[in-house]
Amino acid sequence: MSDVVKSLSPRLNPAADKPKERPTREEAEAAVRTLIRWAGDDPQREGLLETPKRVAKAFKEFYAGYDDDPKDVLNKIFAEVEGYDDIVLVRDIPFYSHCEHHMVPFYGMAHIAYYPTKGVVGLSKLARLVEVYARRLQTQETMTSQIATAMEQALEPRGVAVMIEAEHMCMSMRGVQKAGAMTLTTQFTGAFKNDPAEQVRFLTLVRHGKA
């Protein structure tokens, strides 16, 4: 097994993403107060008194994906699709995530396509799948792979194509500070991986909306 596969395998298991024991809310709020002091401010001043509670609440929203299982999102398949076996594409799915290296946001658009075999899933489920993985501490590369793998496992399609385009605040607001720089990642399986023409078709549909 390659080093890349070894590194990704635990990330593709939902249970592996969950910590053994979560701190209490009080402990989380205390940690926020420590970070406020580390930043150089006073957590006891009026404007910051309620900040630890707000941050803890926001974290529950930002990282809600740890409580969701992608298998549950894709568990209902519609087999009666009148023999449809051509490409299904949902593009321009907006998402917001947080870089696992600096815990600052990265955000952009996801595009997902697949060739159905045993049936299709509701289109909103693909957007929901993106949310499950986006609302965790992430790297864009891992998130792209996770979405494709979840699709493969749940739908057993003839092929999956995933593209993610995102701007990373860890590159825009810190470090080299290159605002507007976009990162693009792709993952292809099955027909999309084996046939370059299918990759071209996917990219054309994403960019221009027509074959």
Side-chain angles (χ1 to χ4, degrees):
M1 181 181 292
S2 70
D3 290 340
V4 173
V5 173
K6 287 179 182 178
S7 67
L8 285 179
S9 295
R11 299 290 307 277
L12 298 175
N13 180 0
D17 287 326
K18 296 182 178 180
K20 298 294 184 181
E21 182 179 346
R22 285 186 175 177
T24 65
R25 181 164 186 137
E26 290 75 18
E27 290 173 324
E29 292 176 9
V32 176
R33 283 189 285 272
T34 298
L35 289 174
I36 291 173
R37 291 197 302 271
W38 171 252
D41 214 322
D42 179 7
Q44 297 304 314
R45 73 175 175 84
E46 183 180 6
L48 292 174
L49 280 176
E50 298 299 316
T51 296
K53 291 182 179 180
R54 296 189 188 102
V55 172
K57 182 179 179 180
F59 264 45
K60 291 291 288 184
E61 296 178 24
F62 294 158
Y63 306 119
Y66 287 111
D67 295 322
D68 296 326
D69 190 333
K71 294 179 182 178
D72 295 335
V73 175
L74 301 175
N75 66 352
K76 186 173 183 179
I77 298 174
F78 299 97
E80 296 181 4
V81 290
E82 299 296 332
Y84 184 83
D85 60 359
D86 207 337
I87 191 171
V88 177
L89 167 66
V90 179
R91 63 178 189 172
D92 299 333
I93 303 170
F95 73 89
Y96 298 87
S97 190
H98 284 78
C99 168
E100 66 181 31
H101 300 137
H102 300 98
M103 294 183 71
V104 294
F106 69 94
Y107 61 93
M109 296 286 182
H111 318 283
I112 304 176
Y114 70 103
Y115 277 104
T117 54
K118 62 180 184 179
V120 300
V121 293
L123 300 179
S124 65
K125 300 300 185 181
L126 300 185
R128 178 62 183 147
L129 181 64
V130 172
E131 283 292 288
V132 168
Y133 287 119
R135 292 187 178 273
R136 302 179 181 189
L137 291 171
Q138 276 290 12
T139 68
Q140 182 175 333
E141 297 88 343
T142 299
M143 179 175 160
T144 307
S145 176
Q146 288 174 327
I147 292 170
T149 298
M151 295 279 292
E152 278 281 310
Q153 293 175 346
L155 304 181
E156 300 177 13
R158 289 197 293 117
V160 172
V162 179
M163 175 192 290
I164 294 179
E165 304 171 275
E167 180 173 358
H168 293 247
M169 291 296 98
C170 60
M171 184 176 177
S172 300
M173 66 183 292
R174 61 163 301 280
V176 296
Q177 298 185 22
K178 298 299 181 183
M182 300 295 292
T183 299
L184 188 151
T185 52
T186 59
Q187 184 85 12
F188 300 111
T189 73
F192 290 104
K193 183 175 183 178
N194 299 327
D195 188 347
E198 292 293 349
Q199 296 181 23
V200 171
R201 185 186 184 199
F202 168 71
L203 296 173
T204 301
L205 288 168
V206 167
R207 296 303 186 197
H208 304 294
K210 57 183 179 180

